[in-house]
Amino acid sequence: ESISFQKTYEKYMRDIIPTLPKERGWWFETIVQFNGFWLSPTNSFKGAIFLHHHFRPRPTDIFACTSMKTGTTWLKALIFATINRTNFEFSNHPLLTTGPHGLFPFLDTYIFRNGDDDCQDSISSLDTLPSPRLFTTHLPYSSLPDSVTASSSGCRFVCLCRNPKDVLVSMWLVLKKSRSKELPSFSLDDAFESFCRGVFQYGPYWDHVLEYWKESLESPNKILFLKYEDLKNEPLVYVKRLADFLGKPFSAEEETNGVVEEIIRLCSFENLSNLEVNKDGMEKFSPEIIVNKSSFFRKGQVGDWKNYLTEEMAKCIDQISDDKLYGSGLTF
Ligand code: A3P
C-alpha cells in the first residue's frame, strides 16, 4: 500500500504539480493552487492524495477541521477531553503529560511524518487506532475524499474558524520565529498582501471557512461549526454543544459536579500554555514541519490584531469579509 501511495504521489508530482499555478509560500518556498486552494506540494497536497487513495474511514471517525491559527490546538484538547472524560482523572490526564498535538493525528502529514520509508507503518497504524478515531486536518472540505464527506460515511466534522485579522497576525508572528532562515524575509506587509489575495496555506481563508459553513447549514448533524470568539465568550454553552454533537451529552449529574467547567479549565490557554510538556521541545509534523511546541501558545486572545495591523489594513480585510461572506449568514 505504501508503495502504491508513493507511486501515486510521484505520478502527481510528475504530471499534475508542474501544471498548477504557483506562488511564494508562507511556510515553504512555493505553494500550488489545486481546485481553488493553495497547498504545499510536499506536505498538504501530498496529504490530500493519501486521503483520496488510501484512507479508509470508519462511521465513528471525528475530524477537527480548521484553517491554520484558528485555534486547532485548543479544539484538539477540547475534543479529546470531552470524548474521554470518563476514561481519565482530571488530575492525572494525558493532556497534562502529552501536548494536544500528540494526542491524535494531524492527517495531512501523518503518514509521511517520519519520512516516506515509514508510510507503510503509518498507514497500518491508522487502522489499529481504537474507535472513535480522532483526527485533525487543515484541508478544505472539498479536498476531503467523498468516502469521508458522504453522509453515508457517518463521519463527523467539527470546524473552528476565527476572525481573519487575528488569523493573519497569529500566523505571521509564528512564521517570524519558525520560517526557514534560508527563505527570503516575509514582512507583515508581504503577509497582508498575500492573505488578501487569498494566497495563504490552505487558503483563500474565506473560501475555506465558507465551504465548512455552508455544509454545516445543510447537514448540521454532520458538521458542527464553531467560532473561536464564541468559545472564548461562552465556553460553557459551546463545550456542551460540542458534547451533544459528539454524541456524548453531559448528564445532569456531570453538570452538577462541574465536569464541563473542569474540561474548560483543563483546556484553557492559561493551563495548557503553562505545562512543561507544551513549553519545551519540538513537534514534528513532517520532515519539513518541525516547530517549537511553545509556538502554539502565544496570547490566546480575541482582537490582538489591533496591536499589529493599521486601520487601513483592518478595513481592507473587513471589506473582503463583507464581500466574500455576503448572503451566507456568516459574519466575523
Ligand atoms: P494567538 O497567536 O492569537 O495567540 P492553532 O492551534 O490553530 O495553531 O492556533 C494558534 C492560536 O490559538 C494562537 O493564537 C494560540 O495562542 C491560540 N491558542 C492555543 N491554545 C489555546 C487555548 N487553549 N485557548 C485559546 N487559544 C489558544
Side-chain angles (χ1 to χ4, degrees), residues 274-294:
N274 283 311
L275 296 174
E276 283 312 310
V277 63
N278 295 322
K279 280 190 196 165
D280 290 329
M282 311 296 281
E283 196 77 55
K284 180 178 175 187
F285 292 97
S286 80
E288 286 177 328
I289 312 178
I290 303 169
V291 289
N292 278 313
K293 290 186 178 180
S294 62

Side-chain angles (χ1 to χ4, degrees), residues 66-74 77 101 138 162 166 169-171 173-174 228 232 267-270 272-273 295-301 304:
T66 58
S67 235
M68 296 178 85
K69 301 298 137 201
T70 60
T72 318
T73 312
W74 190 17
H101 295 282
H138 291 319
R162 188 181 188 187
D166 278 332
V169 166
S170 180
M171 186 70 194
L173 289 171
V174 162
Y228 182 95
K232 270 271 174 194
C267 300
S268 68
F269 180 86
E270 292 66 30
L272 292 183
S273 62
S295 70
F296 291 103
F297 302 93
R298 193 185 61 88
K299 264 196 179 169
Q301 286 176 9
D304 190 43

Side-chain angles (χ1 to χ4, degrees), residues 83-104:
I83 284 277
N84 290 299
R85 65 183 184 269
T86 49
N87 299 339
F88 307 110
E89 300 285 327
F90 286 110
S91 57
N92 185 22
H93 198 278
L95 266 169
L96 301 174
T97 45
T98 308
H101 295 282
L103 290 175
F104 56 94

